[in-house]
Amino acid sequence: MRKISATVLILSLFPIAMFAQSVYPGQHRNKITKHLRGDVKVYSFDLKDVRLLPSAFRDNMERDSKWLMSLDVNRLLHSFRNTAGVFSSKEGGYMTIKKLGGWESLDCDLRGHTTGHIMSALSYLYASTGDERYKIKSDSIVNGLAEVQYALTKVGQNGFISAFPENFINRNIAGQSIWAPWYTLHKIYAGLIDQYLYCGNEKALDIMTKAASWAYQKLMPLTEEQRATMLRNEFGGTNEAFYNLYAITGNPEHLKLAEFFYHNAVLDPLAERKSDLYFKHANTFIPKLIGEARNYELNADKRSKDVATFFWDEVVNHQTYCTGGNSHKEKFIHTDKVSENLTGYTQETCNSNNMLKLTRHLFSWDANPKYADFYERALYNHILGQQDPQTGMVAYFLPLLPGSYKVYSTAENSFWCCVGTGFENHAKYGEAIYYHNNTNLYVNLFIPSELTWNEKGVKLKQETVFPESDLVKLTVQTAKSQKFALNLRYPYWASGVQVKINGKAVKVKQVPSSYIVIDRTWKNGDQIIIKYPMSLHLAEANDNVDKAAVMYGPLVLAGMMGTEGMQQPAPFSDPTAYNDYYTYDYKVPLNLKTAIRIDKSNLNKSIQPVIGNPLVFKAEEGVELAPISRIHHQRYVVYWDLIKNAER
């Protein structure tokens, strides 16, 4: 464990600046003293300051909301109450509660994690919409957890809060077999903190501070050997949660807890710029780096900054598929071996969720457009398409095996980790559209939305049907003229971007993967029209130039290959009976087409748009391609074997 400097301990006696708006916006910031020691160049806006307008993103959010609101609070609290012995089977109503299945069943070590995710998701929805229904349901969950914590305190488990018994932690410390108890606690802790920040729930913070007191008493007496043994088990972002709590309270115990979860075996090699990630569990790794990012922001630890940045570069540049996702069977692959790992078990959605969280941290430090480019890629191609538009259910993997298809959860009998992060993904689309500092406003994503910039008294309305159209219109609303620089992202995939202000063309000197900066005094009603020309291009596998995906702008296009041989009824119709997603057989037809003829020098000759069907294209072989995010309930091919013209 790293030692804490005397300077940090002194600073920790005062409330420190918490969740810089950079990554953790919150409506409750009036009770937080802003004081970041790490350099932060730009900040995101509070979710309450961004309202989504009609689009595929808002559609996803509304389906997510419907699912969340359908889950009864008593069912979500059942395993917590069962563990705490709050009531017995003789009490009225207990036996009538229908138990949740899958990873929330009473015999699953991870039970309770979903309730944590749901607290976070409800808080995001409340901030994003202002709809009191989300706060009312949130309050009910928090009140139930407070009762459970009180009951456990009465039997000597002061502050412990969980849906599993404390003995799970004892087994973890002893190195005995157990499935990730601290990972589960992290989800609960993060949910409580989000409830405080976004819903203003003081009781949630009280539960969390008591939980931290329990953790401090539990962990501080451990030897270094015990600590190292315990950290071998997946613990999610527990370090991040305690850094965030410390940022709220300034309590040095909370900082020590965050430092306690520094995983030397994983992070020390990265600090030495060693990047052997092969076969490491990806979603075990990524949250550790998010915690390091928070440490840099709060304590100006340059080593933490360097580790987080190095890790991001290694994963994005050497481990990532064209869609922005990573991993095979949840593990990192050999460096630069994409074409050898196109299986039915690629791209765990939790990984993309956490990579986007890490990306937001890194972007806030220097506003480098490469981070925004990656964010857009993973958001449009993986996260947006995780959800089934028919049912609102979500996929665990985004498989890249040619001829595979997305496999979705069920409403009450799955609750995989990617269901939990899925609840969050589709509730917080407003978090990365806009960024700002005192003199600059950044437009990073082209998502229909309305922004309120309170510090400037400015509103910005973004209207677009992107990516169906390459036009984006921004309208400024302000009671008085305001001077600031508007930074419009010039994406890596665009060229010849055009900008008009109030109908007058603006000369664009910038190049792709940069920002078009317009510094002027803005008046009420000013309009900015931006044209982002999109074109076809290839995303070649990093180890085989003859295996590639077709892209249009930021969108990965996949071949739509029909439903022949797909299992009926839908796979995982009963995940409690069948959960073997590592060996799931997609029964790909032997005659499935996996090669297309491409003229690399002129893609428009080989692939042409289908008139009257936006974003659908046809290759020479008659294969139709569409954005991977829009392909559901049928087989697809993403990476193709390329047939060159010379092979005709």
Side-chain angles (χ1 to χ4, degrees):
M1 187 170 70
R2 290 177 302 188
K3 294 182 179 179
I4 305 169
S5 70
T7 302
V8 170
L9 285 173
I10 293 171
L11 283 172
S12 70
L13 298 177
F14 303 92
I16 62 177
M18 181 13 253
F19 300 82
Q21 310 165 51
S22 59
V23 180
Y24 291 99
Q27 298 186 50
H28 222 49
R29 204 187 311 123
N30 60 321
K31 296 187 178 181
I32 299 163
T33 304
K34 290 200 293 183
H35 177 187
L36 289 179
R37 298 183 65 217
D39 290 332
V40 173
K41 183 176 180 179
V42 296
Y43 304 87
S44 67
F45 286 87
D46 287 3
L47 279 174
K48 69 181 178 64
D49 294 331
V50 180
R51 292 287 184 259
L52 296 183
L53 299 175
S55 69
F57 292 96
R58 198 169 82 173
D59 291 344
N60 271 20
M61 183 175 74
E62 290 172 352
R63 283 187 288 264
D64 185 37
S65 164
K66 184 177 180 180
W67 186 7
L68 283 163
M69 296 304 289
S70 74
L71 295 170
D72 182 71
V73 168
N74 287 319
R75 298 180 72 189
L76 294 171
L77 292 173
H78 175 73
S79 55
F80 291 86
R81 289 168 170 164
N82 186 70
T83 294
V86 171
F87 45 54
S88 74
S89 61
K90 293 183 179 181
E91 293 190 46
Y94 175 84
M95 295 300 289
T96 65
I97 294 177
K98 184 180 179 182
K99 282 71 171 175
L100 299 174
W103 290 13
E104 283 300 329
S105 59
L106 291 177
D107 61 353
C108 179
D109 291 356
L110 295 186
R111 60 188 181 269
H113 78 105
T114 302
T115 300
H117 284 294
I118 287 176
M119 283 193 289
S120 292
L122 289 171
S123 73
Y124 302 153
L125 286 170
Y126 175 62
S128 296
T129 66
D131 191 329
E132 288 289 329
R133 293 180 304 146
Y134 304 124
K135 188 177 188 312
I136 291 169
K137 184 160 189 169
S138 297
D139 289 347
S140 297
I141 295 173
V142 171
N143 289 340
L145 292 179
E147 294 171 1
V148 168
Q149 190 178 55
Y150 177 71
L152 290 171
T153 296
K154 288 176 65 176
V155 295
Q157 294 175 293
N158 297 340
F160 182 65
I161 180 67
S162 177
F164 54 71
E166 186 177 1
N167 191 50
F168 278 26
I169 300 296
N170 298 336
R171 289 167 61 182
N172 186 187
I173 292 170
Q176 298 171 358
S177 178
I178 193 71
W179 190 6
W182 282 107
Y183 169 93
T184 305
L185 291 184
H186 163 243
K187 307 310 173 189
I188 298 166
Y189 294 171
L192 290 167
I193 291 171
D194 284 337
Q195 281 293 310
Y196 171 72
L197 290 173
Y198 293 95
C199 296
N201 193 318
E202 297 281 353
K203 185 178 288 186
L205 181 61
D206 180 63
I207 296 171
M208 183 60 220
T209 53
K210 289 175 179 175
S213 178
W214 164 81
Y216 190 83
Q217 298 301 319
K218 187 79 173 179
L219 299 179
M220 289 305 115
L222 300 186
T223 66
E224 178 57 28
E225 181 180 3
Q226 288 175 308
R227 186 183 78 91
T229 298
M230 189 187 81
L231 295 186
R232 288 203 298 262
N233 201 329
E234 182 178 8
F235 56 84
T238 308
N239 55 350
E240 177 205 11
F242 284 127
Y243 276 125
N244 291 339
L245 181 64
Y246 167 66
I248 296 171
T249 66
N251 185 333
E253 289 187 2
H254 301 158
L255 177 60
K256 288 188 70 175
L257 282 168
E259 292 280 351
F260 186 90
F261 282 88
Y262 177 86
H263 195 179
N264 300 75
V266 168
L267 297 173
D268 286 351
L270 292 174
E272 298 170 4
R273 305 187 72 80
K274 296 178 181 177
S275 59
D276 182 16
L277 298 177
Y278 173 64
F279 211 65
K280 306 295 194 305
H281 189 262
N283 200 47
T284 299
F285 258 61
I286 304 168
K288 303 177 198 295
L289 279 301
I290 298 172
E292 288 302 289
R294 285 303 283 148
N295 185 40
Y296 166 68
E297 290 162 1
L298 295 172
N299 299 315
D301 189 321
K302 185 177 182 301
R303 183 179 186 272
S304 291
K305 178 182 181 181
D306 292 344
V307 166
T309 303
F310 174 71
F311 175 81
W312 188 94
D313 286 337
E314 289 298 307
V315 172
V316 170
N317 295 328
H318 304 289
Q319 292 277 339
T320 297
Y321 301 100
C322 60
T323 54
N326 63 68
S327 73
H328 157 69
K329 290 187 176 180
E330 303 188 7
K331 307 292 200 310
F332 284 125
I333 62 177
H334 280 299
T335 297
D336 295 327
K337 292 295 183 182
V338 160
S339 74
E340 297 180 10
N341 291 276
L342 302 178
T343 74
Y345 326 106
T346 52
Q347 304 181 104
E348 183 187 2
T349 310
C350 285
N351 293 352
S352 291
N353 168 280
N354 278 311
M355 282 301 295
L356 291 184
K357 287 181 68 174
L358 180 60
T359 300
R360 291 186 65 221
H361 283 280
L362 272 57
F363 178 79
S364 72
W365 300 343
D366 61 9
N368 189 323
K370 75 176 183 180
Y371 298 122
D373 283 340
F374 170 77
Y375 196 102
E376 177 186 61
R377 180 185 287 249
L379 181 70
Y380 272 88
N381 296 302
H382 194 176
I383 299 301
L384 183 63
Q386 180 206 17
Q387 186 192 88
D388 175 11
Q390 293 183 21
T391 65
M393 299 300 101
V394 296
Y396 196 118
F397 293 129
L398 179 57
L400 289 174
L401 174 73
S404 58
Y405 47 88
K406 299 173 185 176
V407 176
Y408 306 103
S409 63
T410 59
E412 300 180 353
N413 290 300
S414 303
F415 298 112
W416 314 314
C417 53
C418 297
V419 170
T421 52
F423 284 136
E424 298 183 30
N425 285 334
H426 308 298
K428 58 176 183 174
Y429 285 124
E431 68 180 1
I433 302 173
Y434 308 100
Y435 289 79
H436 73 101
N437 55 32
N438 291 335
T439 58
N440 289 266
L441 176 63
Y442 290 77
V443 180
N444 270 11
L445 298 174
F446 314 126
I447 296 176
S449 53
E450 291 183 322
L451 166 70
T452 299
W453 191 1
N454 289 304
E455 292 84 353
K456 290 287 187 182
V458 169
K459 291 189 176 182
L460 188 73
K461 185 176 184 180
Q462 180 176 175
E463 298 172 276
T464 181
V465 292
F466 179 88
E468 286 86 349
S469 168
D470 58 8
L471 292 178
V472 175
K473 182 172 79 171
L474 304 172
T475 304
V476 177
Q477 301 174 44
T478 178
K480 62 179 182 179
S481 299
Q482 292 280 1
K483 188 178 189 307
F484 60 88
L486 182 63
N487 295 256
L488 306 171
R489 187 168 69 92
Y490 194 142
Y492 77 95
W493 45 261
S495 61
V497 173
Q498 301 171 29
V499 179
K500 290 184 178 179
I501 299 178
N502 299 328
K504 184 178 180 180
V506 174
K507 187 174 183 180
V508 176
K509 299 179 181 179
Q510 287 81 4
V511 297
S513 200
S514 67
Y515 282 96
I516 301 167
V517 182
I518 306 172
D519 194 350
R520 57 173 277 164
T521 299
W522 299 94
K523 299 178 181 179
N524 188 51
D526 281 346
Q527 285 193 349
I528 307 98
I529 304 291
I530 314 106
K531 182 178 177 63
Y532 289 106
M534 288 183 280
S535 61
L536 294 166
H537 55 106
L538 294 180
E540 297 171 345
N542 55 18
D543 57 340
N544 185 350
V545 296
D546 293 325
K547 190 177 287 288
V550 179
M551 298 189 67
Y552 181 67
L555 307 175
V556 172
L557 303 179
M560 297 182 286
M561 310 307 289
T563 61
E564 180 187 347
M566 284 180 61
Q567 295 188 28
Q568 297 293 335
F572 291 149
S573 57
D574 183 6
T576 60
Y578 183 83
N579 233 355
D580 191 11
Y581 36 77
Y582 276 178
T583 59
Y584 183 79
D585 186 357
Y586 294 91
K587 301 185 185 301
V588 178
L590 295 177
N591 62 348
L592 185 90
K593 186 183 293 293
T594 60
I596 56 175
R597 195 175 303 280
I598 290 289
D599 183 348
K600 287 189 176 183
S601 64
N602 186 0
L603 291 181
N604 291 322
K605 180 180 178 182
S606 308
I607 302 171
Q608 297 182 343
V610 175
I611 304 302
N613 201 346
L615 301 180
V616 176
F617 298 80
K618 181 172 285 189
E620 287 188 4
E621 284 71 20
V623 174
E624 287 195 343
L625 301 101
I628 183 63
S629 64
R630 300 186 180 188
I631 298 178
H632 299 275
H633 301 286
Q634 69 169 299
R635 300 184 186 278
Y636 57 78
V637 174
V638 172
Y639 280 94
W640 299 91
D641 294 315
L642 301 184
I643 304 172
K644 302 174 185 177
N645 283 338
E647 299 174 17
R648 286 181 182 274

